[in-house]
Amino acid sequence: MSDNINKVVVIYKSKYGSAQRYAQWIADEVKADLFERSKITLNDILKYDTIVYGGSLYAAGILGISLIKKNFDKLKDKKVIVFSVGASPAHPEAINDIINNNFTEEMKGKVHFFHLRGGFNYKKLNPIDKILMYLLKKKIEHKKPDELTDDEKGMLACYKHPADWTNKKSINPIIESIKSRIK
């Protein structure tokens, strides 16, 4: 681990690469230490003042968030920032679902949460994810064209044409949140 003046660590769990890309950008921007979720222990994390955790969304769950959730009693006096990465835009109802599915009541009042857009490439999905996404596609296709939301239309288009919505500028609010703690 580097001698990090700001004592910031960025941890990520990425399924298809977008969360890792965002984590790398954040770590580079604030000169933080960077770890994949499986490569860091709670004892390592406790050495930091600011913990940034990012994970891919999977059925409204943030991959690997249990590291933060199960140990929040030991982390609650630190600055904890969590970001999720998914294909959907950050609609308020989707954000509420993510928060309610991943955070305890105590975490809701203390964790700084952000949602970032990732990408979607049907051909790169593992077999189980392909089945789940195929079922979602069939469900959407059963709707009448005038009943489709813009998000659903966009999702259908992505099955044939992969999309990457990652954007380095999206990390700016996270960077500001990190720096607001640094004296």
Side-chain angles (χ1 to χ4, degrees):
M1 283 182 233
S2 69
D3 182 23
N4 190 336
I5 294 169
N6 300 329
K7 305 286 264 179
V8 178
V9 64
V10 179
I11 307 159
Y12 68 90
K13 178 112 176 135
S14 192
K15 193 153 187 173
Y16 294 105
S18 297
Q20 179 180 1
R21 185 175 311 139
Y22 281 122
Q24 182 71 58
W25 287 338
I26 293 164
D28 290 348
E29 193 70 26
V30 298
K31 299 186 179 18
D33 292 332
L34 176 68
F35 292 92
E36 196 280 328
R37 163 61 190 98
S38 65
K39 307 284 190 218
I40 192 167
T41 67
L42 177 61
N43 285 337
D44 294 329
I45 295 168
L46 293 173
K47 297 173 187 172
Y48 295 91
D49 298 318
T50 300
I51 297 120
V52 180
Y53 184 86
S56 304
L57 272 182
Y58 194 74
I62 301 171
L63 290 181
I65 193 69
S66 61
L67 173 70
I68 304 297
K69 196 172 185 175
K70 288 180 182 175
N71 298 296
F72 195 69
D73 60 320
K74 295 176 183 95
L75 303 173
K76 64 184 175 187
D77 294 328
K78 298 179 179 287
K79 181 159 196 171
V80 179
I81 299 167
V82 173
F83 68 90
S84 61
V85 180
S88 297
H91 297 301
E93 61 276 0
I95 297 302
N96 286 336
D97 286 346
I98 296 167
I99 291 169
N100 289 330
N101 283 320
N102 294 279
F103 298 163
T104 64
E105 288 305 313
E106 183 180 23
M107 289 173 70
K108 289 176 187 178
K110 294 184 179 183
V111 172
H112 302 257
F113 175 70
F114 301 88
H115 176 72
L116 306 171
R117 283 195 83 184
F120 181 78
N121 186 338
Y122 185 76
K123 291 177 183 171
K124 289 188 176 184
L125 298 180
N126 68 40
I128 292 171
D129 290 345
K130 276 188 178 178
I131 291 168
L132 294 172
M133 294 309 295
Y134 176 79
L135 293 172
L136 175 63
K137 179 182 176 200
K138 288 298 169 194
K139 181 180 175 185
I140 294 170
E141 287 175 337
H142 276 80
K143 290 185 171 184
K144 294 177 184 169
D146 63 333
E147 294 175 345
L148 293 175
T149 66
D150 288 341
D151 289 348
E152 290 169 332
K153 291 174 189 173
M155 195 67 179
L156 287 175
C158 290
Y159 281 85
K160 292 182 182 173
H161 306 287
D164 181 357
W165 298 285
T166 56
N167 180 342
K168 192 171 183 182
K169 291 179 182 176
S170 299
I171 68 169
N172 289 344
I174 297 171
I175 301 304
E176 289 173 25
S177 183
I178 293 167
K179 289 181 176 180
S180 71
R181 169 78 183 253
I182 299 169
K183 295 169 177 90

